[in-house]
Amino acid sequence: MMWWLNFQLKRKPWWQSKWQNLGAKWWPCGLTLQSVWKSWRQVKTAWVRWIAASASVSKLTALCASLEDKVTDMEDGSRRDNIRVHGIPENSDTSNPLTYLSAAIPKWFPKLGSVEIMRAHRVGAAKTDSNGKPFPRTLLLKLLRFTDRDRILGAARKTTVEVDGVAIRFAPDYSTQTFRRRLAFSNSMDTLQRMGFRTFLLYPARLKATRGGASHFLNTPQEAKDFIDSLDG
């Protein structure tokens, strides 16, 4: 009897071997789950950091846009005495832009009175057309007073000026950013003019369209397009 008890005591329980076998099978799974959990925590941490970075990027983007607007406004302010003149041919008569414009402007606009031009020069490198003829580069002139600029631009809107049979055009001198924003309205302005509207570009880039005593103010090119679509409808 005693030998049987000793044998039973030394013998491992039946469930112990099964448990060991089960543990041996599940051990790799436990390692896999642990690895998955670790990876999930890493993904979660990366996601939180991405959310924070996105918020920072949005704030920085808004700040950069605000600073860009301020710089653009400052640059436009520094150019408020300037006028760009397009279409004046390049020849011996116009080789000295300052002398030429000082004499020509009073002839083009007799009612304007005297204006003082500080500087005038061509913009960009010299170019020629397919026939080898000099391509008329834009003339940039700087006036002593911005009021003279406004008076010249006002007179140019009322009077057509031609040089050698070619109409020349006067325009304010804006920064590249403002110029591009205003240029984006070009197609809409052409369409509205064909529809009988009078169009005006307000500073910095806002379109005013009038017809039949009614005025419409369009802040973006998309607004202008939507307005035209509503008229077509």
Side-chain angles (χ1 to χ4, degrees), residues 10-187:
K10 293 179 181 180
R11 183 184 178 186
K12 293 182 179 180
W14 64 269
W15 50 265
Q16 186 173 355
S17 59
K18 293 184 177 294
W19 179 259
Q20 289 175 346
N21 292 336
L22 183 62
K25 293 179 180 179
W26 278 95
W27 178 251
C29 297
L31 292 177
T32 302
L33 290 174
Q34 185 178 8
S35 177
V36 170
W37 175 249
K38 183 178 179 181
S39 299
W40 164 247
R41 292 182 62 183
Q42 292 175 345
V43 169
K44 182 179 179 181
T45 301
W47 174 258
V48 172
R49 291 178 178 175
W50 182 84
I51 293 295
S54 298
S56 298
V57 168
S58 298
K59 291 180 181 179
L60 291 174
T61 300
L63 178 60
C64 287
S66 175
L67 292 175
E68 185 179 70
D69 289 342
K70 290 181 180 179
V71 171
T72 298
D73 188 61
M74 291 173 62
E75 185 176 352
D76 288 337
S78 70
R79 296 172 180 236
R80 66 176 185 168
D81 303 327
N82 300 352
I83 292 179
R84 288 178 174 262
V85 187
H86 306 274
I88 295 180
E90 297 195 34
N91 51 41
S92 58
D93 295 333
T94 63
S95 58
N96 188 325
L98 179 59
T99 301
Y100 175 77
L101 289 173
S102 296
I105 288 178
K107 296 179 182 178
W108 294 335
F109 314 114
K111 298 180 180 180
L112 191 63
S114 63
V115 295
E116 297 183 65
I117 303 175
M118 297 177 62
R119 297 188 298 275
H121 62 85
R122 297 277 183 178
V123 177
K127 300 179 181 179
T128 57
D129 59 19
S130 57
N131 297 321
K133 184 179 179 180
F135 184 82
R137 292 172 290 167
T138 299
L139 269 174
L140 179 64
L141 61 141
K142 184 174 182 61
L143 298 149
L144 180 62
R145 304 174 185 87
F146 75 90
T147 52
D148 288 343
R149 184 206 72 160
D150 292 343
R151 290 196 298 131
I152 292 175
L153 293 175
R157 283 191 288 267
K158 301 174 183 177
T159 306
T160 301
V161 178
E162 291 187 356
V163 177
D164 295 344
V166 177
I168 65 173
R169 185 168 60 89
F170 296 78
D173 181 36
Y174 292 119
S175 63
T176 302
Q177 179 71 8
T178 299
F179 173 76
R180 289 174 179 170
R181 290 178 61 190
R182 296 169 72 88
L183 185 65
F185 284 99
S186 297
N187 292 336

